[in-house]
Amino acid sequence: MALQDLCNYHDILVDDATSESAPFGKRIGFKNMSGLTLRNSTSLFKFYIPAPEYLEGSPIQFGQVSTIQSSKDILHPDSILQSLSSLTAPPLASSQSVPLPFPMSHGTTTLAFMFQGGVLAAADTRSSCSGLVACPAAQKILPIHSHLVSTTSGTSADCALWKRILARELRLYQLRHGRRLSTGGAAKLLSHMLHPFKGTKLCVAATLCGWDGGEVEECRDQDFDLKDCREVTKSQVRSLEKSLDASLDKAQRASLEADGQLSLTRKKQSFSGPRLFYVCSDGTRLQGSLFSVGSGSPYAYSILDQGVEWKLTVDEAISIAREAVYRATHRDAYSGNFVDIYHISSKGWTRRSREDLKEEYYREKEKRTKEKRDVAGLDSVCAEK
Amino acid sequence: MALFEVSGFRSYSEVRGRQTHLADRTNHYNFGTKTQEFAVPVGVDPSGFLKTCNHDGGVCIDMNHGTTTLAFKFRHGVIVAVDSRASAGRYLASNDVNKVIEINPYLLGTMSGSAADCQYWERLLAKECRLYRLRNNHRISVAAASKLLCNMMLGYRGMGLSVGSMICGWDKQGPGLYYVDDNGTRLSGRMFSTGCGNGYAYGVIDSGYREDMTVEEAYELGRRGIAHATHRDAYSGGVVNMYHMQEDGWIKVCKEDVSELIHRYRKGMF
């Protein structure tokens, strides 16, 4: 499969069998430099491997006294077995013997939905570390390329790293093939890249929001005189064909036939329009029209369910997204501070300036006190009567 | 303690021995909270047993409140809306359970958590409220009723009860809304939602709530809250049972099927 060749998937699988297992769950994704003689040097996961002694312990115990480690080995028969057996024991199981330094909790609110104007992605900006607000102005929506944006949830470090890896791979694809990889392809790529880490503590839950439709589709659009932001589904393609046969003038038809195989053929599904995918490090990959991820997602979901429709205008969509994030930050302790809103259309992504939700809270509080005063005023008027 | 001496509790148990829970007089002062409803046999330690069950790596008894209930106060009273699904793990035991107990014409209690616990303890609360009314010739206040339930929960704290209830009523202080928990939490507030669908309901009612809503708007808000929560939460569903607590008592507003509501609300969707 082309995608497998691209990420050297087979190489990674082969590497499993040859590398030593060690109590370090992430090892499987890394190439062991010593065994590299036969391998293709354009491999995907080429990271610097530090001295082997450090790999025996977990990164959490880096630099600590070794007595802790040996006692841990005694306590956990898994890790003893790990060091004894080699090839067949999956390195994934070893990560369970490593204790976490503190309980991890993934607190955020991100959401994304499709509508006629493209895709809208919104997220809060609070980066929390088990009760401490580590950063009140984090960036949870990371642009990947001009027409693809990814909202991230889970461990910030993991998300930042994988987003950069994905961006690099998509750029390479674009350079090699002359067109952008579709959102679905990017989602599949990310999902396959994360698959070796299934079962480890890696936690990435991203929604990829993009606009598909590269250079080929754009000149087709001019020929057909289609409106912007219109999905070209299979049935529409067929109906277009019929209408073209019936009503098109000769010059356009000639140019179409010259385009030949690329344009209206069914084999190459050339789709143009908004796309939304949810990819998770446990292997989930879903296409949909509305997603919300994170600890604040229930609060956001109900607002989005109420208001999101296909025929929203851009401004209405932005206000619904802002309201949904605001409500989630209002109730969820791990979400808050600001809200970022990105809008992806056929022309690429645009970002609104960051809005402080504190202002929204004060505005609403004022409105409520004003209502209370009105209510009290009305009551007193009634009493007087 | 001075209060013990004042209420004469110790002297009764010393004089009469252990049969005090049968005597009406003790209950009159303590509302039955000093003597437990269920005697726990000697040697059995429910809270210790539960602690061993819930640590990491062992068996985890997960008490999930699989429901959605909501209640909010507004200018014209209190709106109470609940779903009607009863689940036992993944099995749906019933889609037509009444999760609101009508304690008396001016007091309502909602149920979430373990159905058995909620039904039993709220019926017990109803009995105590009735006894209070008969003894004192005036209705029990909402604060006192919720305190009674709270003290019952505290008596068995840590022993595995699972109750998340809202006591709503209208008394001399006006509309009252209290949230009572199996941990002994008792909170007075303007708006609560309990159960595992509560996040979804909170989003809806937070954004639509206004102090000066009309009665129809409040009904619609309650319906929407439960409908959207049942749409996203697997453990909530069935019908929306809605009550409106007014000054002269509660009325039952509606009992509408959730799937029809969702179809109505989401007509413009994809």
Side-chain angles (χ1 to χ4, degrees):
Chain A
M1 213 173 70
L3 209 56
Q4 278 185 344
D5 291 336
L6 176 69
C7 32
N8 296 316
Y9 198 52
H10 293 298
D11 287 345
I12 296 168
L13 289 176
V14 164
D15 196 36
D16 281 359
T18 52
S19 69
E20 287 174 3
S21 65
F24 178 28
K26 293 200 192 327
R27 190 76 184 282
I28 181 149
F30 294 75
K31 306 277 193 222
N32 197 345
M33 298 299 270
S34 53
L36 261 184
T37 46
L38 300 169
R39 199 160 299 105
N40 187 355
S41 59
T42 60
S43 61
L44 187 61
F45 299 117
K46 230 180 187 175
F47 290 96
Y48 166 68
I49 308 292
E53 296 83 45
Y54 292 138
L55 291 174
E56 296 306 308
S58 88
I60 292 159
Q61 294 168 328
F62 186 77
Q64 287 183 13
V65 181
S66 58
T67 50
I68 301 167
Q69 210 175 317
S70 52
S71 65
K72 208 158 286 300
D73 284 341
I74 292 164
L75 284 172
H76 292 276
D78 299 353
S79 57
I80 293 174
L81 284 170
Q82 218 56 49
S83 46
L84 291 176
S85 69
S86 54
L87 305 174
T88 51
L92 311 172
S94 60
S95 67
Q96 284 157 10
S97 60
V98 173
L100 291 175
F102 47 78
M104 306 258 204
S105 50
H106 308 301
T108 186
T109 309
T110 67
L111 59 93
F113 59 88
M114 290 200 319
F115 66 113
Q116 56 82 23
V119 188
L120 205 74
D124 73 311
T125 60
R126 177 172 288 183
S127 185
S128 58
C129 185
S130 169
L132 165 74
V133 176
C135 175
Q139 262 242 353
K140 297 194 190 177
I141 307 190
L142 306 168
I144 297 187
H145 62 67
S146 62
H147 286 73
L148 182 63
V149 140
S150 151
T151 74
T152 59
S153 159
T155 317
S156 318
D158 289 332
C159 290
L161 174 69
W162 285 103
K163 170 255 164 190
R164 287 192 66 137
I165 292 177
L166 183 67
R168 178 190 73 185
E169 291 308 316
L170 292 183
R171 178 67 181 148
L172 285 173
Y173 185 94
Q174 186 179 3
L175 290 170
R176 286 174 186 147
H177 297 84
R179 64 178 181 89
R180 284 196 300 268
L181 186 57
S182 67
T183 315
K188 205 161 208 174
L189 183 60
L190 183 62
S191 174
H192 287 166
M193 289 198 289
L194 291 176
H195 177 77
F197 298 93
K198 190 171 158 74
T200 66
K201 295 281 192 290
L202 181 77
C203 185
V204 172
T207 57
L208 296 176
C209 328
W211 185 281
D212 290 345
E215 299 74 34
V216 178
E217 277 72 36
E218 274 157 12
C219 45
R220 272 177 66 238
D221 282 352
Q222 283 165 16
D223 287 342
F224 292 163
D225 197 26
L226 282 173
K227 293 181 210 139
D228 281 338
C229 323
R230 198 46 55 95
E231 275 187 80
V232 181
T233 59
K234 262 194 185 144
S235 55
Q236 277 182 331
V237 164
R238 265 184 240 120
S239 63
L240 270 168
E241 271 188 327
K242 289 192 199 129
S243 64
L244 282 170
D245 291 338
S247 60
L248 223 50
D249 67 62
K250 278 199 182 144
Q252 279 183 316
R253 268 186 90 187
S255 68
L256 275 175
E257 280 158 4
D259 274 345
Q261 266 39 29
L262 279 175
S263 29
L264 290 174
T265 176
R266 267 167 215 73
K267 275 183 216 149
K268 187 125 180 165
Q269 175 63 32
S270 34
F271 164 79
S272 170
R275 269 282 202 248
L276 187 55
F277 278 84
Y278 168 69
V279 179
C280 184
S281 54
D282 62 10
T284 312
R285 177 171 50 88
L286 299 168
Q287 183 191 345
S289 51
L290 181 127
F291 286 110
S292 172
V293 186
S295 57
S297 65
Y299 310 104
Y301 261 129
S302 48
I303 308 247
L304 294 172
D305 279 345
Q306 278 195 100
V308 168
E309 293 175 324
W310 180 257
K311 57 178 171 39
L312 286 174
T313 66
V314 177
D315 287 325
E316 287 172 352
I318 288 174
S319 77
I320 287 181
R322 196 196 306 122
E323 173 80 6
V325 175
Y326 170 64
R327 292 294 158 200
T329 59
H330 183 53
R331 287 284 176 182
D332 180 31
Y334 295 111
S335 310
N337 298 105
F338 302 93
V339 60
D340 277 335
I341 300 182
Y342 279 67
H343 172 220
I344 302 103
S345 63
S346 59
K347 301 183 190 68
W349 59 261
T350 52
R351 181 191 174 197
R352 282 174 66 83
S353 59
R354 197 164 256 197
E355 293 171 35
D356 194 343
L357 288 172
K358 208 172 20 155
E359 309 295 322
E360 182 83 26
Y361 175 71
Y362 286 133
R363 251 182 282 144
E364 193 175 356
K365 206 169 167 199
E366 251 186 57
K367 210 167 27 129
R368 297 239 197 261
T369 50
K370 190 171 153 307
E371 279 165 18
K372 271 212 178 93
R373 265 186 269 122
D374 290 346
V375 166
L378 272 171
D379 282 344
S380 65
V381 164
C382 294
E384 280 164 15
K385 284 185 183 164
Chain B
M1 212 171 73
L3 202 57
F4 277 160
E5 286 162 2
V6 166
S7 59
F9 177 72
R10 206 163 279 165
S11 62
Y12 270 117
S13 62
E14 280 163 21
V15 169
R16 309 257 164 129
R18 276 274 144 202
Q19 86 257 41
T20 45
H21 68 278
L22 299 169
D24 201 30
R25 269 172 288 184
T26 320
N27 281 346
H28 183 57
Y29 289 121
N30 303 315
F31 303 107
T33 52
K34 288 292 179 204
T35 50
Q36 299 288 57
E37 188 68 15
F38 294 107
V40 179
V42 177
V44 172
D45 180 20
S47 38
F49 167 69
L50 269 179
K51 274 199 199 104
T52 60
C53 281
N54 281 331
H55 76 89
D56 281 335
V59 172
C60 194
I61 298 184
D62 224 3
M63 306 279 201
N64 281 324
H65 298 204
T67 186
T68 311
T69 69
L70 66 88
F72 57 88
K73 275 198 272 196
F74 72 120
R75 193 172 153 210
H76 301 284
V78 188
I79 298 288
V80 178
V82 300
D83 76 309
S84 68
R85 179 168 287 185
S87 52
R90 286 180 300 191
Y91 171 68
L92 289 190
S94 166
N95 240 359
D96 194 14
V97 173
N98 193 5
K99 298 188 186 178
V100 174
I101 179 167
E102 300 152 3
I103 296 173
N104 58 44
Y106 56 94
L107 258 188
L108 289 173
T110 67
M111 312 187 209
S112 76
S114 156
D117 285 340
C118 286
Q119 281 176 347
Y120 179 80
W121 289 103
E122 296 199 16
R123 280 200 68 149
L124 195 61
L125 177 68
K127 178 195 98 174
E128 291 296 333
C129 292
R130 178 68 182 144
L131 284 173
Y132 182 97
R133 168 80 175 86
L134 290 170
R135 287 169 184 150
N136 298 289
N137 219 14
H138 66 89
R139 292 169 174 173
I140 191 171
S141 65
V142 186
S146 60
K147 194 106 191 192
L148 269 177
L149 184 62
C150 171
N151 289 336
M152 291 178 205
M153 295 295 110
L154 282 170
Y156 293 95
R157 190 182 149 106
M159 297 194 199
L161 284 183
S162 171
V163 169
S165 154
M166 295 184 291
I167 306 295
C168 332
W170 196 304
D171 56 18
K172 292 191 192 85
Q173 276 87 27
L177 178 58
Y178 284 82
Y179 167 70
V180 178
D181 204 327
D182 54 278
N183 293 322
T185 310
R186 175 176 163 267
L187 299 167
S188 164
R190 199 182 53 177
M191 176 198 299
F192 288 110
S193 173
T194 70
C196 59
N198 69 351
Y200 307 102
Y202 269 128
V204 171
I205 54 179
D206 272 343
S207 73
Y209 179 85
R210 283 181 354 261
E211 180 75 29
D212 57 351
M213 279 190 289
T214 67
V215 173
E216 277 307 318
E217 286 174 350
Y219 290 166
E220 186 59 20
L221 192 64
R223 258 194 294 263
R224 270 189 178 265
I226 298 289
H228 284 291
T230 57
H231 178 61
R232 285 286 177 184
D233 179 32
Y235 295 105
S236 307
V239 298
V240 180
N241 282 312
M242 184 146 56
Y243 291 74
H244 179 192
M245 177 66 67
Q246 297 163 327
E247 189 158 4
D248 50 357
W250 53 261
I251 55 166
K252 179 151 188 186
V253 175
C254 74
K255 180 174 168 159
E256 289 190 29
D257 190 307
V258 155
S259 28
E260 282 166 31
L261 283 175
I262 279 290
H263 271 112
R264 222 195 304 158
Y265 296 147
R266 286 168 63 89
K267 251 202 210 128
M269 297 282 184
F270 305 101

Short mmCIF file of all heavy atoms in Angstrom, two decimals, chain A residues 3 23 35 39 83 93 105 107 120-121 139 160 165 168 170 172 180 203-204 227 229 246 258 267 276 305 336 344:
data_model
loop_
_atom_site.label_atom_id
_atom_site.label_comp_id
_atom_site.label_asym_id
_atom_site.label_seq_id
_atom_site.Cartn_x
_atom_site.Cartn_y
_atom_site.Cartn_z
N LEU A 3 0.57 4.08 1.33
CA LEU A 3 0.71 4.75 2.63
C LEU A 3 1.71 4.01 3.49
O LEU A 3 2.49 4.59 4.23
CB LEU A 3 -0.65 4.81 3.30
CG LEU A 3 -0.88 5.99 4.24
CD1 LEU A 3 -0.63 7.28 3.53
CD2 LEU A 3 -2.28 5.96 4.76
N PRO A 23 12.13 -2.06 29.53
CA PRO A 23 10.97 -1.44 30.20
C PRO A 23 10.81 0.02 29.83
O PRO A 23 10.82 0.89 30.67
CB PRO A 23 11.27 -1.62 31.68
CG PRO A 23 12.75 -1.73 31.74
CD PRO A 23 13.18 -2.41 30.50
N GLY A 35 21.42 -1.57 14.69
CA GLY A 35 20.98 -2.56 13.72
C GLY A 35 20.54 -1.98 12.40
O GLY A 35 19.68 -2.51 11.73
N ARG A 39 18.77 -1.10 6.70
CA ARG A 39 17.50 -0.38 6.64
C ARG A 39 17.57 0.81 5.71
O ARG A 39 18.59 1.43 5.52
CB ARG A 39 17.10 0.08 8.04
CG ARG A 39 15.63 0.41 8.11
CD ARG A 39 15.10 0.39 9.51
NE ARG A 39 15.25 -0.90 10.12
CZ ARG A 39 16.16 -1.17 11.04
NH1 ARG A 39 16.97 -0.24 11.46
NH2 ARG A 39 16.25 -2.37 11.55
N SER A 83 12.86 -8.55 31.09
CA SER A 83 14.28 -8.55 30.78
C SER A 83 14.75 -9.94 30.38
O SER A 83 15.71 -10.09 29.66
CB SER A 83 15.08 -8.02 31.98
OG SER A 83 14.62 -8.63 33.15
N ALA A 93 3.49 -3.84 27.43
CA ALA A 93 3.07 -4.25 28.77
C ALA A 93 4.01 -3.70 29.83
O ALA A 93 3.62 -3.48 30.95
CB ALA A 93 3.03 -5.77 28.85
N SER A 105 -4.45 13.85 34.18
CA SER A 105 -5.85 14.08 33.79
C SER A 105 -5.85 14.99 32.59
O SER A 105 -5.05 15.92 32.50
CB SER A 105 -6.62 14.70 34.95
OG SER A 105 -5.92 15.79 35.46
N GLY A 107 -7.57 17.59 30.75
CA GLY A 107 -8.66 18.52 30.86
C GLY A 107 -8.62 19.55 29.77
O GLY A 107 -7.65 20.28 29.64
N LEU A 120 -15.51 24.85 11.37
CA LEU A 120 -15.19 25.76 12.46
C LEU A 120 -14.59 24.95 13.59
O LEU A 120 -15.15 23.95 13.98
CB LEU A 120 -16.45 26.48 12.94
CG LEU A 120 -16.16 27.81 13.61
CD1 LEU A 120 -15.80 28.83 12.57
CD2 LEU A 120 -17.34 28.26 14.40
N ALA A 121 -13.45 25.39 14.09
CA ALA A 121 -12.81 24.70 15.21
C ALA A 121 -12.63 25.71 16.33
O ALA A 121 -12.24 26.84 16.11
CB ALA A 121 -11.45 24.14 14.78
N GLN A 139 -1.91 26.94 23.28
CA GLN A 139 -2.52 26.85 21.96
C GLN A 139 -2.98 25.42 21.75
O GLN A 139 -2.14 24.52 21.64
CB GLN A 139 -1.47 27.19 20.89
CG GLN A 139 -1.53 28.58 20.40
CD GLN A 139 -1.82 28.63 18.91
OE1 GLN A 139 -1.86 27.60 18.25
NE2 GLN A 139 -2.04 29.81 18.40
N ALA A 160 1.77 18.07 20.68
CA ALA A 160 2.64 18.97 19.92
C ALA A 160 3.60 18.18 19.05
O ALA A 160 3.80 18.51 17.87
CB ALA A 160 3.41 19.86 20.89
N ILE A 165 5.08 16.00 13.58
CA ILE A 165 5.42 14.86 12.72
C ILE A 165 4.44 14.77 11.57
O ILE A 165 4.82 14.57 10.41
CB ILE A 165 5.43 13.55 13.55
CG1 ILE A 165 6.58 13.58 14.55
CG2 ILE A 165 5.54 12.36 12.64
CD1 ILE A 165 6.61 12.39 15.45
N ARG A 168 5.13 17.41 8.99
CA ARG A 168 6.29 17.07 8.17
C ARG A 168 5.94 16.04 7.12
O ARG A 168 6.30 16.18 5.94
CB ARG A 168 7.40 16.53 9.09
CG ARG A 168 8.64 16.09 8.35
CD ARG A 168 9.58 15.37 9.27
NE ARG A 168 9.10 14.04 9.58
CZ ARG A 168 9.68 13.23 10.44
NH1 ARG A 168 10.75 13.62 11.10
NH2 ARG A 168 9.20 12.03 10.69
N LEU A 170 2.99 15.37 5.84
CA LEU A 170 2.09 15.91 4.82
C LEU A 170 2.84 16.79 3.84
O LEU A 170 2.56 16.79 2.64
CB LEU A 170 0.96 16.69 5.49
CG LEU A 170 -0.02 15.87 6.29
CD1 LEU A 170 -1.12 16.75 6.83
CD2 LEU A 170 -0.62 14.78 5.46
N LEU A 172 5.98 16.42 3.01
CA LEU A 172 6.73 15.51 2.15
C LEU A 172 5.83 14.92 1.07
O LEU A 172 6.22 14.80 -0.09
CB LEU A 172 7.35 14.39 2.98
CG LEU A 172 8.58 14.78 3.81
CD1 LEU A 172 8.99 13.64 4.70
CD2 LEU A 172 9.73 15.17 2.89
N ARG A 180 -1.96 18.17 -2.24
CA ARG A 180 -2.08 17.97 -0.80
C ARG A 180 -2.78 16.64 -0.52
O ARG A 180 -3.68 16.24 -1.25
CB ARG A 180 -2.91 19.09 -0.18
CG ARG A 180 -2.19 20.39 -0.02
CD ARG A 180 -2.95 21.26 0.96
NE ARG A 180 -4.30 21.53 0.50
CZ ARG A 180 -4.63 22.58 -0.23
NH1 ARG A 180 -3.72 23.46 -0.58
NH2 ARG A 180 -5.87 22.76 -0.62
N CYS A 203 -1.19 9.75 24.96
CA CYS A 203 -2.59 10.14 24.87
C CYS A 203 -2.75 11.32 23.95
O CYS A 203 -2.37 12.44 24.29
CB CYS A 203 -3.12 10.47 26.26
SG CYS A 203 -4.86 10.81 26.24
N VAL A 204 -3.28 11.04 22.78
CA VAL A 204 -3.53 12.09 21.80
C VAL A 204 -4.94 11.90 21.29
O VAL A 204 -5.30 10.82 20.84
CB VAL A 204 -2.54 11.97 20.61
CG1 VAL A 204 -2.93 12.92 19.51
CG2 VAL A 204 -1.13 12.24 21.06
N LYS A 227 -20.57 26.88 -7.58
CA LYS A 227 -20.38 27.86 -6.51
C LYS A 227 -19.28 27.36 -5.59
O LYS A 227 -18.97 26.18 -5.56
CB LYS A 227 -21.66 28.02 -5.70
CG LYS A 227 -22.77 28.64 -6.49
CD LYS A 227 -24.02 28.82 -5.65
CE LYS A 227 -25.23 28.73 -6.56
NZ LYS A 227 -26.32 28.00 -6.00
N CYS A 229 -17.50 26.31 -1.96
CA CYS A 229 -17.91 25.59 -0.76
C CYS A 229 -18.98 24.56 -1.05
O CYS A 229 -19.86 24.34 -0.24
CB CYS A 229 -18.47 26.50 0.32
SG CYS A 229 -17.65 28.08 0.43
N ALA A 246 -26.57 17.13 -21.49
CA ALA A 246 -27.77 17.75 -22.05
C ALA A 246 -27.54 19.20 -22.45
O ALA A 246 -27.93 19.62 -23.53
CB ALA A 246 -28.91 17.67 -21.02
N ALA A 258 -11.02 16.92 -22.61
CA ALA A 258 -9.55 16.99 -22.63
C ALA A 258 -8.99 16.65 -21.25
O ALA A 258 -7.99 15.95 -21.12
CB ALA A 258 -9.10 18.39 -23.05
N LYS A 267 -13.58 6.39 -10.60
CA LYS A 267 -12.51 5.71 -9.88
C LYS A 267 -11.80 6.70 -8.96
O LYS A 267 -11.59 6.44 -7.80
CB LYS A 267 -11.50 5.13 -10.88
CG LYS A 267 -11.93 3.77 -11.39
CD LYS A 267 -10.90 3.18 -12.32
CE LYS A 267 -11.62 2.42 -13.43
NZ LYS A 267 -10.92 2.42 -14.67
N LEU A 276 -14.06 16.51 8.32
CA LEU A 276 -13.77 16.51 9.75
C LEU A 276 -13.51 15.08 10.19
O LEU A 276 -14.33 14.19 9.96
CB LEU A 276 -14.98 17.08 10.49
CG LEU A 276 -14.88 17.34 11.96
CD1 LEU A 276 -13.73 18.23 12.26
CD2 LEU A 276 -16.16 18.00 12.43
N ASP A 305 -25.50 20.59 19.80
CA ASP A 305 -26.65 19.83 19.30
C ASP A 305 -27.85 20.72 19.09
O ASP A 305 -28.63 20.51 18.17
CB ASP A 305 -27.03 18.73 20.31
CG ASP A 305 -26.14 17.52 20.17
OD1 ASP A 305 -25.45 17.41 19.15
OD2 ASP A 305 -26.15 16.68 21.09
N GLY A 336 -10.77 26.71 30.59
CA GLY A 336 -11.00 28.10 30.93
C GLY A 336 -10.10 29.06 30.20
O GLY A 336 -9.48 28.73 29.21
N ILE A 344 -12.02 27.28 8.75
CA ILE A 344 -11.36 26.73 7.57
C ILE A 344 -12.33 26.75 6.41
O ILE A 344 -13.41 26.17 6.48
CB ILE A 344 -10.89 25.28 7.81
CG1 ILE A 344 -9.94 25.22 9.02
CG2 ILE A 344 -10.15 24.74 6.60
CD1 ILE A 344 -10.57 24.71 10.25
#
